[in-house]
C-alpha cells in the first residue's frame, strides 16, 4: 500500500506526475516482456544452452551469474529508466529508497518471481548501490583496506590490499552493466567516453581518482582503475611503528620541515609518496600560509591557513585547460609562505625550482623516479620541457641551489613501503650536482634495515641560522 503522507518523487519526464505513478505505468507495460525473458532464462539454465533466437531479438545476454543476478540485472535496467539522474539529483535518500522498495515489490508481485525474503532485501540494497553508488564496486569503496580497484572488463576485478594485488569474486553482469557505471561516474564531472574519445579521467566525490578506457582501445572490454582516497592521516610516529623509517630519520625530517628546507619526495607508483608528503606537511608551523597545487586534489593537510588548487583538464572541445605550471606561476602572486606541489611531471619543475630560489623556502613536492640520482635526472628532463633552451649547466645550478633534501621511497615485493634514502644536495661542482646519503635502507641477512651513514649534513649551518640545532647522534650507524 502507498502511504499518502509519504512525499512522492517527482518524475521529470512526466511533468505533474510522481515516480510512483510512473512505476505503476512502467510495471504494467513491462510485465509481458519480463515474463518472457525470465522463462527463457530458466529454460537456458535447465538445458545449459544459449538462449534462443526469440530472446536474441530482445538483446538479452545470458549472464554467467546465478538466477538472482539475472533478476537484479533486469530490474536494474527498468529502474534506471524511471530513476533518471535528474530525478535522483532532486530527491532525498528516503525518497529514493521508498521508490526502489515500491518498484521491487510491484515487479516481483506482478511477475510472481520465486525469490526469498532475504534475497528480496538484498535485491533492494543492491539496486540502491546501482542508483547511488558504483554498483558491484560499492562494497570495495567502503573497505578501508582497499587502496586500488582495477576493473579489467566486466568479469575480472582486482584490488590492492597492503601493497599486494588480489582477484575478487565481484563482477559486473556484462559490458553494458559496466558501461552504465562508468557513464554515471563521468556524468558527475561533465565528462564522457565514446569511440571518438575512448579515454577519460575523473574524480569521485570522496577524492578518489578514476581512469577509464573503453573499446576499441581496450580489447578486453571497458577498463577502469580507481585510486582510493585514503581518509586516514598518518603521522610520522605511525610510519616509524610500521617500519617505514627509524625514529632518528623521522626526527631529522621534522627538523628539516620546521627549518624551511626544500624537500622533494620521490619514488615509484604506489610507493607512498603522497602519504609521506602528508606526514611532512603536518610539521609546518601554524600561522604560515600554504598553497597546495595538485593534478587531482588528494593531499589532506590539517592546517588552518591553506589554499588548495587543482588542475583542470580540457573540455570536450579541447579548451579551458589549466595546468599545474599555470597554477605554480599564479601561486607566486598569492603571498605563499610554503608551496606544496602534489606531483611534478612536466615543465612546472622549472617554475617550482625558481620559486624555491626566490624566497619560498620550505616548499615540498613529489615526483616519480627510481633513485635519488634518477630524481635529479628527471628534474633536468622536466625542466627542458619548458622550451627555454637553457644549457645543462644552468639547469643543474638551479637544482643544486634550490633543493636541500630528497626523501626516496620504494615498495617491496611483500607490499611494504619504506623510505630507502634520505639524501642531501650539497651544491654543484664543475657541472655535477653533489649528493650525500644521510640515511640508507639496506638488506641485512633476511631483513631490511635503515641506518644512518654517520655523515652530518653540510647544511647544519643553515639549520643553526634558522634556530634549530642538529644532534649528530641522529646519524650514527
Amino acid at each position: 500500500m502507498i502511504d499518502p503522507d509519504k512525499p512522492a518523487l517527482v518524475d521529470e519526464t512526466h511533468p505533474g506526475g510522481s515516480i510512483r505513478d510512473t512505476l505503476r505505468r512502467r510495471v504494467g507495460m513491462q510485465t509481458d516482456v519480463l515474463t518472457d525473458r525470465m522463462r527463457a532464462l530458466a529454460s537456458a539454465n535447465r538445458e545449459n544452452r544459449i538462449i534462443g533466437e526469440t530472446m536474441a531479438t530482445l538483446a538479452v545476454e545470458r549472464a554467467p551469474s546465478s538466477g538472482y543476478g539475472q533478476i537484479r540485472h533486469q530490474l536494474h535496467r527498468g529502474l534506471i529508466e524511471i530513476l533518471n539522474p535528474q530525478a535522483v539529483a532532486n530527491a532525498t535518500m528516503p525518497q529514493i529508497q521508498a521508490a526502489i522498495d515500491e518498484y521491487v515489490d510491484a515487479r516481483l508481485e506482478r511477475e510472481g518471481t520465486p525469490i526469498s525474503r532475504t534475497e528480496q532485501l538484498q535485491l533492494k540494497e543492491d539496486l540502491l548501490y546501482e542508483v547511488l553508488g558504483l554498483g558491484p564496486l560499492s562494497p570495495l569503496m567502503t573497505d578501508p583496506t582497499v587502496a586500488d580497484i582495477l576493473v579489467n572488463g566486466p568479469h575480472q576485478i582486482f584490488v590492492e590490499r597492503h601493497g599486494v594485488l588480489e582477484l575478487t569474486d565481484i563482477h559486473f553482469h556484462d559490458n553494458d552493466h559496466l558501461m552504465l557505471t562508468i557513464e554515471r561516474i563521468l556524468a558527475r564531472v561533465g565528462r564522457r567516453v565514446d569511440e571518438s574519445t575512448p579515454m577519460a579521467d575523473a574524480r569521485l566525490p570522496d577524492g578518489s581518482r578514476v581512469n577509464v578506457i573503453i573499446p576499441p582501445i581496450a580489447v578486453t572490454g571497458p577498463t577502469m582503475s580507481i585510486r582510493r582516497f585514503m581518509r586516514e592521516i598518518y603521522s610520522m610516529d605511525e610510519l616509524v611503528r610500521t617500519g617505514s623509517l627509524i625514529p632518528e630519520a623521522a626526527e631529522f625530517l621534522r627538523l628539516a620541515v620546521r627549518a624551511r628546507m626544500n624537500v622533494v619526495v620521490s619514488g615509484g607508483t604506489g610507493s607512498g609518496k603522497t602519504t609521506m608528503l602528508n606526514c611532512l606537511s603536518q610539521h609546518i608551523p601554524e600561522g604560515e600560509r600554504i598553497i597546495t597545487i595538485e593534478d587531482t586534489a588528494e593531499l589532506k593537510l590539517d592546517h588552518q591557513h591553506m589554499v588548495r588548487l587543482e588542475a583542470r583538464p580540457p573540455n570536450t572541445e579541447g579548451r579551458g585547460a589549466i595546468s599545474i605550471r599555470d597554477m605554480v606561476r599564479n601561486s607566486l602572486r598569492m603571498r605563499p609562505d610554503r608551496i606544496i606541489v602534489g606531483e611534478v611531471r612536466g615543465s612546472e619543475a622549472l617554475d617550482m625550482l625558481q620559486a624555491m630560489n626566490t624566497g619560498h623556502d620550505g616548499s615540498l613536492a613529489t615526483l616519480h623516479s627510481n633513485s635519488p640520482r634518477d630524481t635529479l635526472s628527471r628534474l633536468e628532463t622536466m625542466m627542458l620541457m619548458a622550451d627555454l633552451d637553457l644549457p645543462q649547466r644552468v639547469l643543474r645550478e638551479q637544482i643544486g641551489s634550490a633543493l636541500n633534501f630528497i626523501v626516496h621511497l620504494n615498495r617491496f615485493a611483500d607490499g611494504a613501503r619504506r623510505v630507502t634514502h634520505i639524501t642531501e644536495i650539497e651544491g654543484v661542482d664543475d657541472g655535477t650536482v653533489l649528493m650525500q646519503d644521510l640515511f640508507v635502507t639496506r638488506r641485512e641477512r633476511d631483513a631490511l634495515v635503515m641506518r644512518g651513514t654517520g655523515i652530518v649534513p653540510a647544511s647544519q649551518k643553515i639549520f643553526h641560522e634558522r634556530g634549530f640545532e642538529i644532534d649528530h647522534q641522529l646519524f650514527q650507524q
Side-chain angles (χ1 to χ4, degrees):
M1 296 294 292
I2 297 176
D3 185 354
D5 296 327
K6 187 182 294 183
L9 287 169
V10 174
D11 185 3
E12 301 294 340
T13 61
H14 293 82
S18 69
I19 288 292
R20 294 175 184 174
D21 294 334
T22 307
L23 286 173
R24 295 190 184 95
R25 290 195 299 270
R26 295 288 175 83
V27 168
M29 294 169 57
Q30 296 173 351
T31 297
D32 294 337
V33 174
L34 182 61
T35 301
D36 292 341
R37 293 181 179 181
M38 295 305 298
R39 287 173 179 169
L41 174 65
S43 175
N45 286 338
R46 284 193 305 268
E47 301 176 14
N48 194 23
R49 59 183 175 82
I50 300 176
I51 298 175
E53 295 181 358
T54 303
M55 292 307 300
T57 60
L58 293 174
V60 176
E61 295 181 13
R62 183 185 172 195
S65 58
S66 64
Y68 168 82
Q70 183 72 13
I71 295 171
R72 181 187 63 189
H73 184 58
Q74 296 294 345
L75 293 184
H76 176 227
R77 287 183 177 275
L79 185 62
I80 60 176
E81 297 179 9
I82 302 170
L83 289 178
N84 55 67
Q86 188 174 4
V88 171
N90 296 329
T92 64
M93 176 67 79
Q95 290 175 327
I96 295 172
Q97 181 70 71
I100 292 174
D101 290 348
E102 185 170 357
Y103 175 80
V104 172
D105 292 341
R107 285 290 294 267
L108 294 180
E109 182 179 358
R110 289 292 297 269
E111 301 301 330
T113 305
I115 185 172
S116 68
R117 177 63 178 171
T118 301
E119 288 180 322
Q120 187 173 344
L121 293 175
Q122 183 64 46
L123 182 60
K124 293 176 181 179
E125 182 179 348
D126 290 347
L127 290 177
L128 182 64
Y129 280 143
E130 295 285 0
V131 172
L132 296 179
L134 301 182
L137 302 182
S138 294
L140 299 178
M141 293 298 297
T142 59
D143 186 343
T145 65
V146 173
D148 295 311
I149 302 172
L150 308 173
V151 182
N152 304 335
H155 307 310
Q156 191 181 71
I157 299 175
F158 286 84
V159 297
E160 180 190 307
R161 286 190 174 94
H162 310 296
V164 179
L165 287 176
E166 58 184 66
L167 180 65
T168 70
D169 57 359
I170 296 174
H171 63 269
F172 289 85
H173 184 82
D174 52 22
N175 282 338
D176 290 341
H177 187 192
L178 175 54
M179 281 303 301
L180 286 173
T181 301
I182 290 174
E183 290 167 1
R184 185 162 61 247
I185 292 173
L186 298 181
R188 294 173 180 173
V189 293
R191 306 295 299 279
R192 63 182 177 84
V193 287
D194 52 32
E195 289 190 2
S196 61
T197 55
M199 298 182 292
D201 290 303
R203 180 160 59 89
L204 297 176
D206 69 349
S208 298
R209 293 181 292 176
V210 180
N211 177 267
V212 173
I213 181 167
I214 66 171
I217 305 300
V219 179
T220 58
T223 302
M224 177 169 57
S225 59
I226 301 177
R227 293 292 306 274
R228 290 284 308 284
F229 179 80
M230 308 308 289
R231 298 182 181 275
E232 299 85 0
I233 302 178
Y234 290 94
S235 66
M236 201 70 75
D237 291 336
E238 288 174 311
L239 295 184
V240 172
R241 283 197 297 271
T242 58
S244 294
L245 72 170
I246 58 177
E248 293 81 2
E251 179 60 25
F252 173 71
L253 291 178
R254 292 189 188 99
L255 288 174
V257 173
R258 292 170 185 164
R260 301 183 63 84
M261 296 294 178
N262 295 318
V263 180
V264 165
V265 180
S266 62
T269 300
S271 59
K273 298 186 297 299
T274 301
T275 298
M276 174 56 70
L277 190 60
N278 272 319
C279 288
L280 294 175
S281 301
Q282 293 175 26
H283 301 286
I284 297 176
E286 287 291 343
E288 295 190 14
R289 176 176 169 85
I290 303 174
I291 309 294
T292 67
I293 300 170
E294 301 175 80
D295 187 48
T296 300
E298 58 182 347
L299 288 175
K300 197 169 185 179
L301 279 60
D302 185 15
H303 201 278
Q304 183 179 8
H305 196 169
M306 181 178 67
V307 178
R308 303 179 68 189
L309 305 180
E310 182 181 39
R312 185 176 71 185
N315 58 22
T316 54
E317 298 177 352
R319 302 176 181 176
I322 304 295
S323 68
I324 291 181
R325 187 180 189 188
D326 295 331
M327 293 187 295
V328 171
R329 289 177 172 178
N330 188 77
S331 68
L332 301 179
R333 305 182 183 97
M334 299 174 67
R335 199 267 178 208
D337 288 312
R338 309 238 188 179
I339 298 174
I340 300 177
V341 182
E343 182 177 343
V344 180
R345 61 177 65 183
S347 57
E348 65 272 7
L350 178 61
D351 300 277
M352 182 193 70
L353 291 174
Q354 287 180 335
M356 291 178 175
N357 272 323
T358 55
H360 298 93
D361 296 324
S363 296
L364 307 171
T366 74
L367 60 83
H368 284 78
S369 71
N370 296 323
S371 67
R373 177 59 67 179
D374 185 51
T375 299
L376 300 183
S377 299
R378 287 268 296 150
L379 281 171
E380 282 188 40
T381 301
M382 291 186 288
M383 292 168 73
L384 291 171
M385 295 180 184
D387 294 329
L388 294 181
D389 197 23
L390 297 174
Q392 187 182 61
R393 176 183 56 81
V394 173
L395 299 180
R396 293 184 175 179
E397 287 178 354
Q398 284 282 325
I399 294 173
S401 60
L403 200 57
N404 298 116
F405 299 102
I406 296 173
V407 180
H408 188 78
L409 298 99
N410 193 15
R411 183 174 66 175
F412 293 86
D414 61 354
R417 297 170 171 87
R418 296 176 183 270
V419 176
T420 59
H421 294 79
I422 298 178
T423 304
E424 181 182 29
I425 307 301
E426 298 182 84
V428 180
D429 181 26
D430 195 22
T432 300
V433 179
L434 303 179
M435 307 168 61
Q436 60 180 5
D437 294 329
L438 305 180
F439 295 91
V440 177
T441 298
R442 294 188 177 93
R443 183 170 293 280
E444 297 182 2
R445 295 183 179 178
D446 296 330
L448 290 167
V449 180
M450 182 181 220
R451 298 188 187 278
T453 61
I455 299 175
V456 177
S459 55
Q460 63 176 330
K461 182 179 179 180
I462 301 176
F463 278 85
H464 176 73
E465 292 173 350
R466 296 178 181 177
F468 297 90
E469 299 299 332
I470 295 179
D471 184 358
H472 293 188
Q473 296 296 321
L474 294 176
F475 310 97
Q476 295 303 311
Q477 294 180 333

